[in-house]
Amino acid sequence: MSYFSDLGLAEPILRALETKGYNDPTPIQQQSIPALLEGRDLLGIAQTGTGKTAAFSLPSLHRLAADPQPRKPASCRMLVLSPTRELAAQIADNMKGYAKNLKLSVDCVFGGIPISKQARRLVPGVDVLVATPGRLLDLIDNRALTLGRVEIFVLDEADQMMDLGFIHALKRVANLLPAKRQSLFFSATMPKSIEDLGKQFIKNPVRVEVAPQSTTVERVEQFVSFLNQPEKQALLSLTVRRLLAEKQLDRGIVFTRTKHGADRVARNLAAAGIDARAIHGNKSQAQRTAALEAFRQGSCPILVATDIAARGIDVSGVSHVFNFELPNVPEQYVHRIGRTARAGADGVAISFCAPDEKPYLRDIERLTKVKPAVMPLPENFLADAARLPAPSRRPADEEHEARRDHGRGRPGAGRGEGGRSDGGRRDGGRGDGARRDGGRSQPARGDAPRRDGTAAPRPERRPDERVAADRNGQDRRREAPRSDGAKRVDAPRADNARHEATGEAAAKRRFRPRGPATTGQHRNKVRRVV
């Protein structure tokens, strides 16, 4: 049996590990730490939850402490890049714990919070900086950080970083790093195409692979239930309620593919009497932090998340993972169920598979070489599901997101329908005379009121007329020939300053000063022009 004391780490680091209760290194740590202490580049592949963070943190902190250097303004000696905010914050917290007996500073920067505060923290310099790519480049562009003194460069979750659109940011960061540096790549999965791409950033790396690529943790029991998509919410609510009542579920994570779906599932669980919170990219950083903290403390037993949480949420006691929707990328399944069965514990992964998701299931089975056991639907499922609250179709907290995704006004409405910015539906564009507050104004031209108070139907436009949208998104009639051959000219609009009654008025308005004249000479000049 091997111990951390056998790996040659500094005594202050060993004391910090003893405080955390870490005695035996994991396989990825046993094989990585000696090579990293020698200064070699490394490509590490291991299942999620096996201790990759400590594998690169411990030897890096040892090397920095063995060669103390004064901090220089707006610089760092070690840079760790992470794809998500949650993972970056987790890495920084772990490294602060490992370095608490060392005279090394650790900081973390990511989006969602004011950049000015982070820039001020970096003014004196820092030894270890954990960052997400976007915020890192923002700080560099604002001249709040330079990378010329980086000695150790770490890329965690390398496959996701390069495979999900971060490749251009990585290339830019790599060009800013000094050529002489130690580079470390760690990931749970490493397809060959991503590995070949990673070789552009690391030189002659030591490859450490303690488990086959894309395999799942053996201690996770995997199940799948086949049902229709509309039945998933009822099955999830009934299953979670039963597991909580039987005290089999400590903490559970429910994964969805979309942000709106995560909000909807969380609301439906809450309606069924289950405390659940959602976390995804549309949530503010304060909301994401609060939800994760409540889940970590146990006050909220269910966390509903998109794949942003599949990597980086290291919360002890996660006993169950529910795949409400199967991922269309099979590698994400590995990371999802890796949130349970951590640190030697056991876990359960339950997937809900609709008929159109069976191809995703086959891809997952082909990748993981594991076929989940079929979990039949519970008895009296339909009767029990009928007693649950009806699923929420349009949650209130999704309204703003849906309007933003689908355009102005109500979802699906075109610009000519005059959607309100506050979500209320305007009765129409120019021809319908809609008011700004969403209420119905007096009928517009052609909508003369009847004696009974109702509006007569508006006469239809002639076929030879066309409708064009101007810059304000309002409809405007183009000039169309009349039956007598003359051009028809629309009457000027009172609410549009560009439609002046005469050319003289337009000329006066064009030369009229916007504010009070500053000098008598300017005032006289304007008077002569008008």
Side-chain angles (χ1 to χ4, degrees):
M1 180 179 293
S2 177
Y3 299 95
F4 281 109
S5 57
D6 301 332
L7 299 178
L9 295 172
E11 191 272 337
I13 298 178
L14 295 177
R15 282 192 283 116
L17 293 174
E18 185 178 356
T19 303
K20 285 180 168 288
Y22 297 165
N23 296 317
D24 304 331
T26 62
I28 185 67
Q29 295 165 359
Q30 289 181 7
Q31 300 184 38
S32 300
I33 291 177
L36 294 179
L37 289 176
E38 297 176 359
R40 297 285 303 276
D41 287 1
L42 187 138
L43 176 64
I45 304 173
Q47 297 172 351
T48 182
T50 55
K52 293 192 297 295
T53 301
F56 67 75
S57 298
L58 299 179
S60 299
L61 293 173
H62 175 94
R63 294 192 62 201
L64 295 177
D67 183 21
Q69 296 182 13
R71 301 188 188 106
K72 292 187 178 181
S75 64
C76 62
R77 299 180 61 191
M78 178 178 179
L79 175 64
V80 182
L81 283 186
S82 163
T84 65
R85 304 174 186 176
E86 285 72 24
L87 181 55
Q90 174 188 302
I91 293 173
D93 290 340
N94 288 335
M95 295 194 73
K96 288 178 182 178
Y98 302 145
K100 68 177 184 177
N101 299 323
L102 303 172
K103 295 181 180 180
L104 297 175
S105 60
V106 180
D107 203 346
C108 181
V109 294
F110 48 75
I113 58 179
I115 191 173
S116 57
K117 295 182 179 180
Q118 298 174 344
R120 285 194 295 268
R121 295 204 310 262
L122 295 177
V123 169
V126 66
D127 293 306
V128 180
L129 181 63
V130 186
T132 53
R135 180 49 56 94
L136 178 72
L137 293 177
D138 289 341
L139 290 167
I140 294 174
D141 292 338
N142 291 336
R143 299 184 179 181
L145 178 68
T146 60
L147 303 182
R149 296 187 67 248
V150 173
E151 304 171 20
I152 304 174
F153 172 56
V154 181
L155 189 64
D156 198 17
E157 302 296 351
D159 56 342
Q160 187 183 35
M161 292 282 286
M162 291 186 290
D163 196 29
L164 297 183
F166 290 107
I167 179 60
H168 299 294
L170 287 177
K171 288 182 178 179
R172 184 181 173 192
V173 171
N175 292 332
L176 298 174
L177 294 170
K180 186 178 180 181
R181 66 178 188 270
Q182 184 181 22
S183 299
L184 292 70
F185 273 43
F186 283 89
S187 179
T189 59
M190 186 67 64
K192 188 177 185 305
S193 58
I194 303 299
E195 180 182 350
D196 294 340
L197 188 60
K199 291 179 180 179
Q200 301 179 17
F201 305 98
I202 52 180
K203 301 177 181 179
N204 190 24
V206 175
R207 182 186 179 97
V208 176
E209 185 174 357
V210 299
Q213 296 187 31
S214 305
T215 58
T216 54
V217 180
E218 296 180 356
R219 294 182 300 275
V220 179
E221 296 183 72
Q222 302 178 49
F223 300 93
V224 60
S225 292
F226 295 96
L227 71 170
N228 296 322
Q229 186 70 30
E231 300 171 342
K232 287 186 176 183
Q233 183 64 56
L235 180 60
L236 177 65
S237 300
L238 292 174
T239 303
V240 172
R241 286 172 56 175
R242 176 180 59 83
L243 293 174
L244 288 174
E246 297 175 356
K247 299 187 182 304
Q248 298 182 17
L249 190 153
D250 298 327
R251 294 182 183 87
I253 303 179
V254 180
F255 284 105
T256 64
R257 281 201 301 266
T258 65
K259 304 169 186 177
H260 303 322
D263 283 330
R264 183 169 55 251
V265 170
R267 286 179 62 90
N268 290 331
L269 288 175
I274 302 169
D275 190 3
R277 300 196 184 184
I279 178 173
H280 52 71
N282 280 1
K283 296 287 186 181
S284 67
Q285 187 57 41
Q287 291 173 323
R288 291 162 66 169
T289 302
L292 193 57
E293 188 62 25
F295 182 68
R296 182 177 284 111
Q297 294 178 357
S299 58
C300 174
I302 299 296
L303 184 69
V304 186
T306 56
D307 286 323
I308 189 176
R311 310 190 189 198
I313 293 186
D314 187 8
V315 179
S316 60
V318 177
S319 58
H320 289 71
V321 167
F322 300 90
N323 289 300
F324 187 84
E325 295 168 318
L326 288 176
N328 51 2
V329 179
E331 286 82 5
Q332 289 292 354
Y333 178 84
V334 178
H335 297 286
R336 285 185 179 186
I337 71 172
R339 297 309 100 196
T340 185
R342 302 178 76 85
D346 296 329
V348 178
I350 302 176
S351 301
F352 299 160
C353 182
D356 60 338
E357 294 177 312
K358 289 184 178 180
Y360 299 156
L361 181 62
R362 288 195 294 268
D363 292 340
I364 292 171
E365 293 174 349
R366 189 179 302 111
L367 179 73
T368 61
K369 307 296 190 297
V370 176
K371 189 172 184 179
V374 177
M375 176 180 288
L377 298 179
E379 297 181 3
N380 303 323
F381 167 66
L382 296 179
D384 294 340
R387 291 192 289 268
L388 292 173
S392 174
R393 292 183 179 274
R394 293 201 57 79
D397 57 352
E398 296 179 26
E399 291 288 344
H400 175 69
E401 298 172 3
R403 291 197 305 274
R404 182 184 62 188
D405 292 342
H406 295 285
R408 294 174 52 187
R410 62 183 178 85
R415 297 196 306 177
E417 295 204 32
R420 287 174 50 193
S421 60
D422 61 354
R425 183 179 184 272
R426 293 175 64 175
D427 288 336
R430 167 185 170 189
D432 287 344
R435 299 190 324 203
R436 291 184 180 179
D437 60 357
R440 177 81 172 183
S441 65
Q442 293 296 326
R445 181 180 57 197
D447 287 343
R450 295 172 175 157
R451 292 183 178 180
D452 58 358
T454 61
R458 186 176 55 180
E460 297 182 359
R461 294 172 176 172
R462 296 199 306 270
D464 57 345
E465 293 178 347
R466 298 179 180 178
V467 178
D470 60 12
R471 294 181 181 178
N472 295 326
Q474 298 172 336
D475 287 348
R476 178 179 63 183
R477 289 187 180 183
R478 291 182 177 176
E479 295 182 359
R482 299 190 309 189
S483 58
D484 57 359
K487 289 187 177 181
R488 183 184 63 78
V489 180
D490 286 343
R493 293 183 53 191
D495 60 342
N496 194 333
R498 290 179 298 176
H499 295 268
E500 297 290 350
T502 63
E504 179 181 0
K508 289 182 178 181
R509 188 179 185 280
R510 188 177 304 112
F511 291 99
R512 186 180 301 134
R514 296 184 178 179
T518 57
T519 64
Q521 180 181 3
H522 176 68
R523 184 164 52 249
N524 294 336
K525 180 179 179 181
V526 173
R527 186 178 293 114
R528 286 196 300 272
V529 172
V530 174

